[in-house]
Amino acid sequence: MTSLRTRINQHCKSCIYDPKFHGTWRQQVTLCAITSCALHDVRPLTKSPISGTVLDAHQLSQEEHAALLGSSGAQICPK
């Protein structure tokens, strides 16, 4: 039996991750803007800084990224 965390991670990855787009699956899930999703507040977040290049590719400013993270503590990295 898989854990709840594993199932949430798998759901989020299958929902939003595009291996042909910028960023790792965790970065893409961290940048998920679907705030109406019931799992948004418990989605897996990257512990690594997200580069400005990845934010640019997702058309997010650092302020928008910070708003998506709330108080999670994930980091933004300069380009």
Side-chain angles (χ1 to χ4, degrees):
M1 184 161 121
T2 57
S3 70
L4 178 58
R5 170 51 49 202
T6 299
R7 292 191 307 253
I8 292 169
N9 291 358
Q10 289 171 346
H11 170 80
C12 291
K13 185 176 179 180
S14 70
C15 177
I16 199 144
Y17 177 56
D18 180 352
K20 296 177 185 168
F21 200 62
H22 298 273
T24 66
W25 78 266
R26 279 193 184 266
Q27 288 175 331
Q28 289 184 26
V29 171
T30 297
L31 297 174
C32 176
I34 306 170
T35 57
S36 61
C37 174
L39 299 177
H40 191 266
D41 289 342
V42 294
R43 73 195 188 282
L45 301 174
T46 184
K47 292 180 176 133
S48 302
I50 298 177
S51 73
T53 303
V54 172
L55 290 177
D56 290 347
H58 287 266
Q59 298 180 346
L60 285 172
S61 69
Q62 291 188 357
E63 293 79 20
E64 292 167 319
H65 174 225
L68 285 174
L69 294 176
S71 60
S72 70
Q75 301 174 9
I76 301 170
C77 165
K79 289 184 182 178

Coordinates of all heavy atoms in Angstrom, one line a residue:
M1 N 0.8 -1.2 0.0 CA 0.0 0.0 0.0 C 0.9 1.2 0.0 O 1.8 1.3 0.8 CB -0.9 0.0 1.2 CG -1.8 1.1 1.3 SD -3.2 0.7 2.4 CE -3.0 2.1 3.5
T2 N 0.6 2.2 -0.9 CA 1.4 3.4 -0.9 C 0.9 4.4 0.1 O -0.3 4.5 0.4 CB 1.3 4.0 -2.3 OG1 -0.1 4.3 -2.7 CG2 1.9 3.1 -3.4
S3 N 1.8 5.3 0.5 CA 1.4 6.3 1.5 C 0.6 7.4 0.9 O 0.6 7.6 -0.4 CB 2.7 6.9 2.1 OG 3.4 7.7 1.2
L4 N -0.1 8.2 1.7 CA -0.8 9.3 1.2 C 0.1 10.3 0.5 O -0.3 10.9 -0.5 CB -1.6 10.0 2.4 CG -2.4 11.2 2.1 CD1 -3.5 10.9 1.0 CD2 -3.0 11.8 3.3
R5 N 1.3 10.6 1.1 CA 2.2 11.5 0.5 C 2.6 11.0 -0.9 O 2.7 11.8 -1.8 CB 3.4 11.7 1.4 CG 4.6 12.4 0.8 CD 4.4 13.8 0.2 NE 3.6 14.7 1.0 CZ 2.9 15.7 0.4 NH1 3.0 16.0 -0.9 NH2 2.2 16.5 1.2
T6 N 2.9 9.8 -1.1 CA 3.3 9.2 -2.4 C 2.1 9.4 -3.4 O 2.4 9.8 -4.5 CB 3.6 7.7 -2.2 OG1 4.8 7.6 -1.4 CG2 4.0 7.1 -3.6
R7 N 0.9 9.2 -2.9 CA -0.2 9.3 -3.8 C -0.4 10.8 -4.2 O -0.8 11.1 -5.4 CB -1.5 8.7 -3.2 CG -1.4 7.2 -3.1 CD -2.7 6.6 -2.8 NE -3.3 7.2 -1.5 CZ -3.4 6.5 -0.4 NH1 -2.9 5.3 -0.2 NH2 -4.0 7.1 0.6
I8 N -0.3 11.7 -3.3 CA -0.4 13.1 -3.6 C 0.7 13.5 -4.6 O 0.4 14.2 -5.6 CB -0.3 14.0 -2.3 CG1 -1.5 13.8 -1.5 CG2 -0.1 15.5 -2.7 CD1 -1.4 14.4 -0.1
N9 N 1.9 13.1 -4.3 CA 3.0 13.4 -5.3 C 2.8 12.9 -6.6 O 2.9 13.6 -7.6 CB 4.3 12.8 -4.7 CG 4.9 13.5 -3.5 OD1 4.3 14.5 -3.0 ND2 6.0 13.0 -3.0
Q10 N 2.3 11.6 -6.7 CA 2.0 11.0 -8.0 C 0.9 11.8 -8.7 O 0.9 12.0 -10.0 CB 1.6 9.6 -7.9 CG 2.8 8.7 -7.5 CD 2.4 7.3 -7.1 OE1 1.2 7.0 -6.9 NE2 3.4 6.4 -7.0
H11 N -0.1 12.2 -8.0 CA -1.3 12.9 -8.6 C -0.8 14.2 -9.2 O -1.1 14.6 -10.3 CB -2.4 13.2 -7.6 CG -3.4 14.1 -8.1 ND1 -4.4 13.7 -9.0 CD2 -3.5 15.5 -7.9 CE1 -5.1 14.8 -9.3 NE2 -4.6 15.9 -8.7
C12 N 0.0 15.0 -8.4 CA 0.4 16.3 -8.8 C 1.4 16.2 -10.0 O 1.3 17.0 -11.0 CB 1.1 17.0 -7.7 SG 0.0 17.6 -6.3
K13 N 2.3 15.2 -10.0 CA 3.2 15.0 -11.1 C 2.4 14.7 -12.4 O 2.7 15.2 -13.4 CB 4.2 13.9 -10.7 CG 5.3 13.7 -11.8 CD 6.3 12.7 -11.4 CE 7.4 12.5 -12.4 NZ 8.4 11.5 -12.0
S14 N 1.4 13.8 -12.3 CA 0.7 13.4 -13.5 C -0.2 14.5 -14.0 O -0.5 14.6 -15.2 CB -0.1 12.1 -13.2 OG -1.2 12.4 -12.3
C15 N -0.6 15.4 -13.1 CA -1.5 16.5 -13.5 C -0.7 17.6 -14.2 O -1.2 18.1 -15.3 CB -2.1 17.1 -12.2 SG -3.2 18.5 -12.5
I16 N 0.5 18.0 -13.8 CA 1.1 19.2 -14.3 C 2.4 19.0 -15.0 O 2.8 19.9 -15.7 CB 1.1 20.3 -13.2 CG1 1.3 21.6 -13.8 CG2 2.2 20.0 -12.2 CD1 0.6 22.7 -13.1
Y17 N 3.1 18.0 -14.6 CA 4.5 17.8 -15.1 C 4.6 17.6 -16.6 O 3.9 16.7 -17.2 CB 5.2 16.7 -14.4 CG 6.6 16.5 -14.9 CD1 7.6 17.5 -14.9 CD2 7.0 15.2 -15.3 CE1 8.9 17.3 -15.3 CE2 8.3 15.0 -15.8 CZ 9.2 16.0 -15.8 OH 10.5 15.8 -16.2
D18 N 5.4 18.4 -17.3 CA 5.7 18.2 -18.7 C 7.2 18.1 -18.9 O 7.9 19.1 -18.7 CB 5.2 19.4 -19.5 CG 5.4 19.3 -21.0 OD1 6.2 18.3 -21.5 OD2 4.9 20.1 -21.8
P19 N 7.7 16.9 -19.1 CA 9.2 16.7 -19.2 C 9.8 17.5 -20.3 O 11.0 17.7 -20.3 CB 9.3 15.2 -19.5 CG 8.0 14.7 -20.0 CD 7.0 15.6 -19.4
K20 N 9.1 18.0 -21.3 CA 9.6 18.8 -22.4 C 9.7 20.3 -22.0 O 10.2 21.1 -22.8 CB 8.8 18.6 -23.6 CG 8.8 17.2 -24.1 CD 8.0 17.0 -25.3 CE 8.0 15.5 -25.7 NZ 6.9 15.2 -26.7
F21 N 9.2 20.6 -20.8 CA 9.1 22.0 -20.4 C 10.2 22.3 -19.4 O 10.8 21.4 -18.8 CB 7.8 22.4 -19.9 CG 7.5 23.9 -19.9 CD1 7.5 24.6 -21.1 CD2 7.3 24.6 -18.8 CE1 7.3 26.0 -21.1 CE2 7.0 26.0 -18.8 CZ 7.0 26.6 -20.0
H22 N 10.4 23.6 -19.1 CA 11.5 24.0 -18.1 C 11.2 23.5 -16.7 O 10.1 23.7 -16.2 CB 11.7 25.5 -18.2 CG 12.1 26.0 -19.5 ND1 13.4 26.1 -19.9 CD2 11.4 26.4 -20.6 CE1 13.5 26.6 -21.1 NE2 12.2 26.8 -21.6
G23 N 12.2 23.1 -16.0 CA 12.1 22.8 -14.6 C 11.9 21.3 -14.4 O 11.4 20.6 -15.2
T24 N 12.3 20.9 -13.2 CA 12.1 19.5 -12.7 C 10.6 19.3 -12.4 O 9.8 20.3 -12.3 CB 12.9 19.2 -11.5 OG1 12.4 20.0 -10.4 CG2 14.4 19.4 -11.7
W25 N 10.2 18.1 -12.2 CA 8.8 17.9 -11.9 C 8.4 18.6 -10.6 O 7.3 19.2 -10.5 CB 8.4 16.4 -11.8 CG 8.8 15.6 -10.6 CD1 9.9 14.9 -10.4 CD2 8.0 15.5 -9.4 NE1 9.9 14.3 -9.2 CE2 8.8 14.7 -8.5 CE3 6.8 16.0 -9.0 CZ2 8.4 14.3 -7.3 CZ3 6.4 15.6 -7.7 CH2 7.1 14.8 -6.8
R26 N 9.3 18.6 -9.6 CA 9.0 19.3 -8.3 C 8.9 20.8 -8.5 O 8.1 21.5 -7.9 CB 10.0 18.9 -7.3 CG 9.7 17.6 -6.6 CD 10.6 17.5 -5.3 NE 10.4 16.2 -4.8 CZ 9.5 15.9 -3.8 NH1 8.8 16.9 -3.3 NH2 9.4 14.7 -3.3
Q27 N 9.8 21.3 -9.4 CA 9.7 22.8 -9.7 C 8.4 23.1 -10.4 O 7.8 24.1 -10.0 CB 10.9 23.2 -10.5 CG 12.2 23.2 -9.8 CD 13.4 23.5 -10.7 OE1 13.4 23.2 -11.9 NE2 14.4 24.1 -10.1
Q28 N 8.0 22.3 -11.3 CA 6.8 22.6 -12.0 C 5.6 22.5 -11.1 O 4.7 23.3 -11.2 CB 6.6 21.6 -13.2 CG 7.6 22.0 -14.4 CD 7.3 21.1 -15.6 OE1 6.3 20.6 -15.8 NE2 8.4 20.9 -16.3
V29 N 5.6 21.5 -10.2 CA 4.5 21.4 -9.2 C 4.5 22.5 -8.2 O 3.5 23.1 -7.9 CB 4.5 20.0 -8.5 CG1 3.5 19.9 -7.4 CG2 4.2 18.9 -9.5
T30 N 5.7 22.9 -7.8 CA 5.8 24.1 -6.9 C 5.2 25.3 -7.5 O 4.5 26.1 -6.9 CB 7.3 24.3 -6.6 OG1 7.8 23.2 -5.9 CG2 7.5 25.6 -5.7
L31 N 5.4 25.5 -8.9 CA 4.9 26.6 -9.6 C 3.4 26.5 -10.0 O 2.9 27.4 -10.7 CB 5.8 26.9 -10.8 CG 7.2 27.3 -10.5 CD1 8.1 27.4 -11.7 CD2 7.3 28.5 -9.6
C32 N 2.8 25.4 -9.6 CA 1.4 25.2 -10.0 C 0.5 26.3 -9.5 O 0.5 26.7 -8.3 CB 0.9 23.9 -9.5 SG -0.9 23.6 -9.8
A33 N -0.3 26.9 -10.4 CA -1.1 28.1 -10.1 C -2.6 27.7 -9.9 O -3.4 28.5 -9.8 CB -0.9 29.2 -11.1
I34 N -2.9 26.4 -9.9 CA -4.3 25.9 -9.8 C -4.7 25.9 -8.4 O -4.7 24.9 -7.7 CB -4.4 24.5 -10.5 CG1 -3.9 24.6 -11.9 CG2 -5.9 24.1 -10.5 CD1 -3.8 23.2 -12.6
T35 N -4.9 27.1 -7.8 CA -5.2 27.2 -6.4 C -6.6 26.7 -6.0 O -6.8 26.4 -4.8 CB -5.1 28.7 -6.0 OG1 -6.0 29.5 -6.7 CG2 -3.7 29.2 -6.1
S36 N -7.4 26.4 -7.0 CA -8.7 25.8 -6.7 C -8.6 24.3 -6.5 O -9.6 23.7 -6.0 CB -9.7 26.1 -7.8 OG -9.2 25.5 -9.0
C37 N -7.4 23.7 -6.7 CA -7.2 22.3 -6.5 C -7.2 22.0 -5.0 O -6.6 22.7 -4.2 CB -5.9 21.8 -7.1 SG -5.4 20.1 -6.7
A38 N -7.9 20.9 -4.6 CA -8.0 20.6 -3.2 C -6.6 20.2 -2.6 O -6.4 20.3 -1.4 CB -8.9 19.4 -3.0
L39 N -5.7 19.8 -3.5 CA -4.3 19.4 -3.0 C -3.3 20.5 -3.1 O -2.1 20.3 -2.8 CB -3.9 18.2 -3.9 CG -4.7 16.9 -3.7 CD1 -4.2 15.8 -4.7 CD2 -4.8 16.5 -2.3
H40 N -3.7 21.7 -3.6 CA -2.7 22.8 -3.8 C -1.9 23.1 -2.5 O -0.7 23.3 -2.6 CB -3.4 24.0 -4.3 CG -2.4 25.1 -4.8 ND1 -2.0 26.1 -4.0 CD2 -1.8 25.2 -6.0 CE1 -1.1 26.8 -4.7 NE2 -1.0 26.3 -5.9
D41 N -2.5 23.1 -1.4 CA -1.8 23.5 -0.2 C -0.9 22.4 0.3 O -0.1 22.6 1.2 CB -2.8 23.9 0.9 CG -3.5 25.2 0.7 OD1 -3.0 26.0 -0.2 OD2 -4.5 25.5 1.3
V42 N -1.1 21.2 -0.1 CA -0.3 20.1 0.3 C 0.6 19.5 -0.8 O 1.2 18.4 -0.7 CB -1.1 18.9 1.0 CG1 -1.7 19.5 2.3 CG2 -2.1 18.4 0.0
R43 N 0.7 20.2 -1.9 CA 1.4 19.7 -3.1 C 2.9 19.6 -2.7 O 3.4 20.4 -1.8 CB 1.2 20.6 -4.3 CG 1.9 22.0 -4.2 CD 1.4 22.9 -5.3 NE 2.1 24.2 -5.3 CZ 2.0 25.2 -4.5 NH1 1.2 25.1 -3.5 NH2 2.7 26.3 -4.6
P44 N 3.7 18.7 -3.4 CA 5.1 18.7 -3.1 C 5.8 19.9 -3.6 O 5.5 20.4 -4.7 CB 5.6 17.4 -3.8 CG 4.6 17.2 -4.9 CD 3.3 17.8 -4.4
L45 N 6.7 20.5 -2.8 CA 7.4 21.6 -3.1 C 8.9 21.3 -3.2 O 9.4 20.5 -2.5 CB 7.3 22.7 -2.1 CG 5.8 23.2 -1.8 CD1 5.8 24.2 -0.7 CD2 5.2 23.8 -3.1
T46 N 9.6 21.9 -4.2 CA 11.0 21.7 -4.3 C 11.7 22.4 -3.1 O 11.3 23.4 -2.6 CB 11.5 22.3 -5.6 OG1 12.9 22.0 -5.7 CG2 11.3 23.8 -5.7
K47 N 12.8 21.8 -2.7 CA 13.7 22.3 -1.7 C 14.8 23.1 -2.3 O 15.5 23.8 -1.6 CB 14.2 21.2 -0.8 CG 13.1 20.6 0.1 CD 13.6 19.5 0.9 CE 12.4 19.0 1.8 NZ 12.2 17.6 1.9
S48 N 15.0 23.0 -3.6 CA 16.0 23.6 -4.3 C 15.5 25.0 -4.8 O 14.4 25.1 -5.1 CB 16.5 22.8 -5.5 OG 16.9 21.5 -5.1
P49 N 16.4 26.0 -4.9 CA 16.0 27.2 -5.5 C 15.6 27.1 -7.0 O 16.1 26.2 -7.7 CB 17.3 28.1 -5.5 CG 18.2 27.4 -4.4 CD 17.8 26.0 -4.5
I50 N 14.6 27.9 -7.3 CA 14.1 27.9 -8.7 C 14.7 29.1 -9.4 O 14.6 30.2 -9.0 CB 12.5 28.0 -8.8 CG1 11.9 26.7 -8.1 CG2 12.0 28.1 -10.2 CD1 10.4 26.8 -8.0
S51 N 15.4 28.8 -10.5 CA 16.1 29.8 -11.2 C 15.1 30.8 -11.9 O 14.0 30.5 -12.2 CB 17.0 29.2 -12.3 OG 16.3 28.8 -13.4
G52 N 15.6 32.0 -12.1 CA 14.9 33.0 -12.8 C 14.5 32.6 -14.2 O 13.5 32.9 -14.8
T53 N 15.4 31.8 -14.8 CA 15.1 31.2 -16.2 C 13.9 30.4 -16.2 O 13.0 30.5 -17.1 CB 16.3 30.4 -16.7 OG1 17.5 31.2 -16.6 CG2 16.1 29.9 -18.1
V54 N 13.7 29.5 -15.2 CA 12.5 28.7 -15.1 C 11.3 29.5 -14.8 O 10.3 29.3 -15.4 CB 12.7 27.6 -14.0 CG1 11.4 26.8 -13.7 CG2 13.8 26.6 -14.4
L55 N 11.4 30.5 -13.9 CA 10.3 31.4 -13.6 C 9.9 32.1 -14.9 O 8.7 32.3 -15.2 CB 10.7 32.4 -12.5 CG 10.8 31.8 -11.1 CD1 11.2 32.9 -10.2 CD2 9.5 31.2 -10.7
D56 N 10.9 32.6 -15.7 CA 10.6 33.3 -16.9 C 9.8 32.4 -17.9 O 8.9 32.8 -18.5 CB 11.8 33.8 -17.6 CG 12.5 35.0 -16.9 OD1 11.8 35.6 -16.0 OD2 13.6 35.3 -17.2
A57 N 10.3 31.1 -18.0 CA 9.6 30.2 -18.9 C 8.2 29.9 -18.5 O 7.3 29.7 -19.3 CB 10.4 28.8 -18.9
H58 N 7.9 30.0 -17.2 CA 6.5 29.8 -16.7 C 5.8 31.1 -16.6 O 4.6 31.1 -16.1 CB 6.6 29.1 -15.3 CG 7.0 27.7 -15.3 ND1 6.0 26.7 -15.4 CD2 8.2 27.1 -15.4 CE1 6.6 25.5 -15.4 NE2 8.0 25.7 -15.4
Q59 N 6.4 32.2 -17.1 CA 5.8 33.5 -17.1 C 5.4 34.0 -15.7 O 4.3 34.5 -15.6 CB 4.7 33.6 -18.1 CG 5.2 33.3 -19.6 CD 4.0 33.4 -20.6 OE1 2.9 33.4 -20.3 NE2 4.4 33.4 -21.8
L60 N 6.2 33.7 -14.8 CA 5.9 34.2 -13.4 C 7.0 35.1 -12.9 O 8.2 34.9 -13.2 CB 6.0 33.0 -12.4 CG 4.8 32.0 -12.5 CD1 5.1 30.8 -11.6 CD2 3.5 32.7 -12.0
S61 N 6.6 36.2 -12.3 CA 7.5 37.1 -11.6 C 7.9 36.5 -10.3 O 7.2 35.5 -9.8 CB 6.9 38.4 -11.4 OG 5.8 38.3 -10.4
Q62 N 8.9 37.0 -9.7 CA 9.3 36.5 -8.3 C 8.2 36.8 -7.3 O 8.0 36.0 -6.4 CB 10.7 37.1 -7.9 CG 11.8 36.6 -8.8 CD 13.2 37.0 -8.3 OE1 13.3 37.8 -7.3 NE2 14.2 36.6 -8.9
E63 N 7.5 37.8 -7.5 CA 6.4 38.2 -6.6 C 5.3 37.2 -6.7 O 4.7 36.7 -5.7 CB 5.9 39.6 -6.8 CG 6.9 40.7 -6.5 CD 8.0 40.9 -7.5 OE1 7.8 40.5 -8.7 OE2 9.0 41.4 -7.2
E64 N 4.9 36.8 -8.0 CA 3.9 35.8 -8.2 C 4.3 34.5 -7.6 O 3.5 33.7 -7.0 CB 3.6 35.7 -9.7 CG 2.9 36.9 -10.3 CD 2.9 36.9 -11.8 OE1 3.9 36.5 -12.4 OE2 1.8 37.3 -12.3
H65 N 5.5 34.1 -7.8 CA 6.1 32.9 -7.3 C 6.0 32.8 -5.8 O 5.5 31.9 -5.2 CB 7.5 32.7 -7.8 CG 8.2 31.5 -7.1 ND1 9.4 31.5 -6.7 CD2 7.8 30.2 -7.0 CE1 9.8 30.4 -6.2 NE2 8.8 29.5 -6.3
A66 N 6.4 33.9 -5.1 CA 6.3 34.0 -3.7 C 4.9 33.9 -3.2 O 4.6 33.2 -2.2 CB 6.9 35.3 -3.2
A67 N 3.9 34.5 -3.9 CA 2.5 34.4 -3.5 C 2.0 32.9 -3.6 O 1.2 32.5 -2.8 CB 1.7 35.3 -4.4
L68 N 2.5 32.2 -4.6 CA 2.1 30.8 -4.7 C 2.6 29.9 -3.6 O 2.0 29.0 -3.2 CB 2.6 30.2 -6.1 CG 1.8 30.6 -7.3 CD1 2.5 30.0 -8.6 CD2 0.4 30.1 -7.3
L69 N 3.8 30.3 -3.1 CA 4.4 29.6 -2.0 C 3.9 29.9 -0.7 O 4.0 29.1 0.2 CB 5.9 29.8 -2.1 CG 6.7 29.3 -3.3 CD1 8.1 29.7 -3.2 CD2 6.5 27.8 -3.4
G70 N 3.4 31.1 -0.5 CA 2.9 31.5 0.9 C 4.1 31.4 1.8 O 5.2 32.0 1.5
S71 N 4.0 30.7 2.9 CA 5.1 30.7 3.9 C 5.9 29.3 3.8 O 6.4 28.9 4.8 CB 4.5 30.9 5.2 OG 3.6 29.8 5.5
S72 N 5.9 28.7 2.7 CA 6.5 27.4 2.6 C 8.0 27.4 2.7 O 8.6 26.4 3.1 CB 6.2 26.7 1.2 OG 6.9 27.4 0.2
G73 N 8.6 28.5 2.4 CA 10.1 28.6 2.5 C 10.9 28.2 1.3 O 12.1 28.2 1.3
A74 N 10.2 27.8 0.2 CA 11.0 27.5 -1.0 C 11.7 28.7 -1.5 O 11.2 29.8 -1.2 CB 10.1 26.9 -2.1
Q75 N 12.8 28.5 -2.2 CA 13.7 29.6 -2.5 C 13.6 30.0 -4.0 O 13.3 29.2 -4.8 CB 15.1 29.3 -2.2 CG 15.3 28.9 -0.7 CD 16.7 28.5 -0.5 OE1 17.6 28.5 -1.4 NE2 17.0 28.0 0.7
I76 N 13.9 31.2 -4.2 CA 14.1 31.7 -5.6 C 15.5 32.0 -5.8 O 16.2 32.5 -4.9 CB 13.3 33.1 -5.8 CG1 11.8 32.8 -5.5 CG2 13.5 33.6 -7.2 CD1 11.0 34.1 -5.5
C77 N 16.0 31.6 -6.9 CA 17.4 31.7 -7.2 C 17.6 32.7 -8.4 O 16.8 32.7 -9.3 CB 18.0 30.3 -7.6 SG 19.5 30.3 -8.5
P78 N 18.6 33.6 -8.4 CA 18.7 34.5 -9.5 C 19.1 33.8 -10.8 O 19.6 32.6 -10.7 CB 19.9 35.4 -9.0 CG 20.6 34.7 -8.0 CD 19.6 33.7 -7.4
K79 N 18.9 34.4 -11.9 CA 19.2 33.8 -13.2 C 20.6 33.3 -13.3 O 21.5 33.9 -12.7 CB 19.0 34.8 -14.3 CG 17.5 35.0 -14.6 CD 17.4 35.9 -15.8 CE 15.9 36.2 -16.0 NZ 15.6 37.1 -17.0

